[in-house]
Amino acid sequence: MNLKRNVSSIASLISDPSRAAILLHLLDGRCHPAGDLAAVAGITPQTASFHLAKMAETGTVTVEKHGRHRYYRIAQASDAEMIEQLLSFAGPAPVVSLRQSDQMKKLRHARMCYDHLAGEAAVRITESLLREGHLQKDGLQLHVTASGERFFADFGLDLPQLRKKRRAFSRCCLDWTEREHHVAGALGQGLTERMFAMDWFRREEQSRAVRITQEGKQGMAERFRIRLD
Amino acid sequence: MNLKRNVSSIASLISDPSRAAILLHLLDGRCHPAGDLAAVAGITPQTASFHLAKMAETGTVTVEKHGRHRYYRIAQASDAEMIEQLLSFAGPAPVVSLRQSDQMKKLRHARMCYDHLAGEAAVRITESLLREGHLQKDGLQLHVTASGERFFADFGLDLPQLRKKRRAFSRCCLDWTEREHHVAGALGQGLTERMFAMDWFRREEQSRAVRITQEGKQGMAERFRIRLD
DNA sequence: TAGACGTTTCCATTATCATCGAAATGTGGA
DNA sequence: TCCACATTTCGATGATAATGGAAACGTCTA
């Protein structure tokens, strides 16, 4: 069994508190400059650079140079999802401060999970798609039905294009706050992108949290027949 | 966010190769003497004892004294399931030797996931229970329907008793070889126990693998309408 | 009662690795 | 051209923790 090797090497990436902090912060799917990540993890830029280099070497993160900044992000959606899964075992975070509980409430409500929407909103949307027969669950796969093809096209998604991407097309991703599944994969990403384009959601600064706009509430009621407050 | 702390401490449990080997071996749900675990991990008894003491302290494993042996096992089903989940990210194990691939094939077919059945057999059984309307999926929960109540009672399970247990009654557990869900929780455990009592399955020595008997094949065809070879 | 065996405790060794100061590199702006 | 700034590289340090030898403990067997 050389599963051992894989398992422990994956785990050791996250076992260091500084790296965990960095990865958790990168879980918002955005690009972050090295300095910010150092600040988040509470370490000096040198140390952060050391960790980032290490993670870049194993392919966990990728770099993009822009001027004198270097922006890092998580390389693969699957890695991000693994960390999300770990979170669901870290248990419901014991709330310490009011500020934390407030932040937590926002995260539960709607947040980014790397490149797609997560939290209550995402779970409700996924439920709706299944209920209306646009998606069909098959294990961890989510198949788009005939009615789904029409629905998504009508929604402004180019499904053939999304299918072409070199990644899973449509799959379940475990939501660690809701303990249910939400749509991930290229479809989840495309859907999320489209909803942002329609200004249904707006990202918060420096956080994975996502705010729902008035248009969003209205749109979700009309399109998905769900009501979020 | 003190999620960080939790996440990294969970990961550090498995990040050490020796501990990973021990935990992976304990994933069969059986009790194992300390010496065996040392051998499996390729370390001296002292070192294994050190790791086991550490894991016992954090509540990951529990000890049972029998004569001069001390038998260890994973304390909580949820921990075992977390490790199983990590395995699904470790990727399909690159097969090195023929012996390994053979062992792997057996594991895929049927194995123990701590205290319940996993692998193809478990996934097929779960599918059958859903298809026949005995179980109903609700997020990660599995509800027993009215017809399910009758079915399980007829199968020899004491559901009220199982519900009393201080653990999740019936839930989905991600199968890392099949990438689908199978029944876990008290129901998964009870079901597995009953099938072993009926001699449908037999455990292999020193492995998580499980062999299906002739009775098992016949019984599964009759009761679950599935055919496994 | 003695000895074998499984296991743990104690202890010293060793290696690994996160960390940071100092300095180098590269980029942008004045 | 010079300086400020983001980042990395280098090098040294210190802490942590895995490891195994020696010995003790408890249990089983003869």
Side-chain angles (χ1 to χ4, degrees), chain B residues 17-157:
Chain B
S18 303
R19 272 196 300 270
I22 289 176
L23 285 171
L24 246 43
H25 195 68
L26 286 176
L27 221 53
D28 65 359
R30 284 200 260 232
C31 292
H32 291 276
D36 281 16
L37 295 172
V40 164
I43 49 181
T44 59
Q46 307 99 311
T47 308
S49 178
F50 162 78
H51 285 301
L52 289 166
K54 180 173 229 159
M55 292 193 283
E57 207 176 324
T58 65
T60 312
V61 299
T62 51
V63 208
E64 219 169 292
K65 287 179 67 172
H66 275 288
R68 54 183 161 185
H69 296 269
R70 300 216 186 164
Y71 292 94
Y72 286 90
R73 60 185 186 79
I74 294 181
Q76 291 193 348
S78 62
D79 285 358
E81 283 162 24
M82 181 195 65
I83 300 170
E84 281 264 339
Q85 300 239 359
L86 266 188
L87 277 176
S88 66
F89 285 101
V95 173
V96 183
S97 67
L98 240 162
R99 179 177 196 77
Q100 273 191 4
S101 102
D102 188 49
Q103 181 64 13
M104 203 43 162
K105 212 182 286 177
K106 281 185 187 167
L107 285 182
R108 276 214 189 85
H109 196 224
R111 67 176 180 279
M112 294 304 285
C113 170
Y114 185 58
D115 60 2
H116 58 269
L117 200 66
E120 193 193 351
V123 168
R124 298 288 296 279
I125 287 176
T126 307
E127 277 173 3
S128 159
L129 288 169
L130 286 166
R131 182 171 8 99
E132 304 281 330
H134 299 322
L135 287 181
Q136 206 162 8
K137 213 168 193 168
D138 171 23
L140 292 183
Q141 300 280 333
L142 287 171
H143 294 301
V144 177
T145 63
S147 96
E149 293 280 345
R150 287 191 300 275
F151 177 83
F152 288 119
D154 190 47
F155 199 70
L157 292 188

Side-chain angles (χ1 to χ4, degrees), chain A residues 119-135:
Chain A
E120 193 192 350
V123 169
R124 299 286 297 280
I125 288 175
T126 307
E127 277 173 3
S128 160
L129 289 168
L130 286 166
R131 183 169 9 98
E132 305 281 329
H134 299 321
L135 287 181

Side-chain angles (χ1 to χ4, degrees), chain A residues 1-4 6-8 11-12 14-15 21 78 82 85 87 89-90 93 100 107 139-140 174 176 179-181, chain B residues 1 3-4 6-8 11-12 14-15 21 78 82 85 87 89-90 93-94 100 139-140 174 176 179-181:
Chain A
M1 280 265 228
N2 61 359
L3 276 182
K4 279 181 243 171
N6 280 330
V7 173
S8 59
S12 69
I14 323 174
S15 64
S78 62
M82 183 193 63
Q85 299 241 1
L87 276 175
F89 284 101
Q100 274 192 4
L107 286 182
L140 292 182
L174 180 60
W176 64 273
R179 293 178 176 272
E180 306 250 345
H181 285 130
Chain B
M1 281 269 225
L3 278 182
K4 279 180 240 169
N6 281 330
V7 172
S8 59
S12 68
I14 326 173
S15 64
S78 62
M82 181 195 65
Q85 300 239 359
L87 277 176
F89 285 101
Q100 273 191 4
L140 292 183
L174 181 61
W176 65 272
R179 292 178 177 273
E180 308 248 346
H181 286 129

